[in-house]
Amino acid sequence: FMKSVYGNKWITQQIIQKIKLQCITLKRWAKILPSTASILEENILKLEDYISVIKLLDAKQINLDKTIMGLEGNTARIYYKCVNLIIPETYRFEKRSRQPGADYFNVVLNYLYGLTYGKVTKALHAAGLDTYVGALHKTAHKETLVFDFIESFRPIVDRLLIDTCNEHLWQPQHFNTIEGGYLINKEGKKLLFTSYSDFIKKRINWKQKVTTIENHMFHEARRLRIEIENTKIHVSDIL
């Protein structure tokens, strides 16, 4: 499935859903922050244009994953540029950074994504899916389906960090300084675990279904399992 046109169609929808959710977040903040509304709305239109481009991609295209990666990289730059406008100056960042995060925002976001990887992996295993076979991410010996599946949940998790930044929840005492950036310390992890545990139990409307964020992960994993089982793949569908 993942190596066929159907896998390409599935991951395309994942990325489209991701960008749509990013747009929803930015639209919300455009209403809250009138001073930045015009810039946010301008960039929302750019993101929506990318959605239109991605919808037109041919699922039979060879190396479609590379095309999608390029387009998704462009949308990420637009999105994070906007995120910088809606969080307090204390938490603003130059770019996404990992291992270590170069600033408070990236340190916390990396950790939140790490927690979400665990939740997503559990949901995929519960659905009986092989997490080592992905459509977009294809690194050998890596749980690439986890990387694919988490894409549409990233904007949801982002909202927790954006909100807590605007509440000025993250303070210097929550981090240790190291060469090249910061690490979240014991006190910071305690705050993060509590915030995240409460957050994923929050009920949201996702694809016309209202339940907790955590339950949506399990629901989407089962939906993927059913889609795979109900798809009849022919030799000509394999890329």
Side-chain angles (χ1 to χ4, degrees):
F1 179 92
M2 291 298 171
K3 296 178 181 179
S4 73
V5 294
Y6 299 103
N8 278 348
K9 289 178 181 179
W10 173 75
I11 194 59
T12 298
Q13 290 304 311
Q14 288 288 99
I15 299 302
I16 289 172
Q17 177 72 1
K18 176 182 180 178
I19 301 171
K20 283 182 176 179
L21 288 168
Q22 290 173 338
C23 289
I24 290 172
T25 297
L26 299 183
K27 287 175 182 177
R28 173 191 172 222
W29 282 97
K31 292 179 180 178
I32 296 173
L33 302 172
S35 61
T36 62
S38 61
I39 299 176
L40 292 178
E41 288 166 359
E42 179 182 334
N43 283 285
I44 289 166
L45 290 175
K46 291 180 182 178
L47 291 175
E48 290 174 341
D49 285 342
Y50 272 102
I51 290 175
S52 299
V53 171
I54 294 171
K55 283 181 177 180
L56 294 175
L57 293 177
D58 184 357
K60 295 181 181 180
Q61 178 183 327
I62 302 299
N63 295 326
L64 182 64
D65 55 323
K66 293 181 174 59
T67 300
I68 292 176
M69 284 282 201
L71 293 170
E72 193 277 333
N74 292 339
T75 62
R77 282 187 285 275
I78 295 170
Y79 169 68
Y80 284 115
K81 174 185 173 183
C82 291
V83 169
N84 250 335
L85 296 175
I86 60 182
I87 59 176
E89 191 171 348
T90 306
Y91 303 107
R92 288 177 184 170
F93 53 97
E94 289 187 14
K95 60 181 180 179
R96 280 288 287 126
S97 57
R98 303 170 180 82
Q99 298 179 351
D103 47 74
Y104 293 167
F105 185 93
N106 277 289
V107 171
V108 178
L109 188 58
N110 292 339
Y111 217 100
L112 287 172
Y113 284 166
L115 292 174
T116 307
Y117 281 129
K119 295 291 183 181
V120 162
T121 302
K122 186 176 179 180
L124 292 170
H125 286 167
L129 294 168
D130 182 353
T131 52
Y132 286 86
V133 183
L136 182 61
H137 299 86
K138 299 178 180 178
T139 307
H141 312 299
K142 296 284 187 179
E143 291 187 279
T144 49
L145 182 57
V146 176
F147 303 151
D148 285 0
F149 192 84
I150 199 176
E151 290 293 350
S152 59
F153 285 95
R154 289 184 190 274
I156 301 295
V157 177
D158 293 348
R159 293 174 188 175
L160 170 60
L161 181 51
I162 292 169
D163 288 346
T164 52
C165 282
N166 277 285
E167 293 166 3
H168 295 274
L169 203 64
W170 305 104
Q171 298 298 323
Q173 64 263 29
H174 298 131
F175 305 92
N176 293 332
T177 303
I178 61 170
E179 184 178 355
Y182 302 89
L183 289 177
I184 191 166
N185 60 27
K186 185 176 180 180
E187 187 177 348
K189 288 178 183 178
K190 182 179 179 180
L191 176 60
L192 185 144
F193 289 147
T194 301
S195 300
Y196 185 79
S197 296
D198 291 341
F199 180 73
I200 62 170
K201 291 179 174 59
K202 183 179 179 181
R203 293 172 67 86
I204 63 170
N205 189 338
W206 173 297
K207 297 181 181 178
Q208 299 180 330
K209 183 177 178 66
V210 178
T211 186
T212 66
I213 295 169
E214 187 172 24
N215 282 345
H216 277 298
M217 295 177 187
F218 284 86
H219 178 74
E220 288 299 304
R222 288 193 296 271
R223 187 201 297 267
L224 175 58
R225 168 68 181 264
I226 292 169
E227 183 178 349
I228 292 171
E229 288 180 335
N230 292 341
T231 301
K232 294 181 180 180
I233 301 175
H234 303 285
V235 174
S236 59
D237 296 324
I238 307 297
L239 301 173

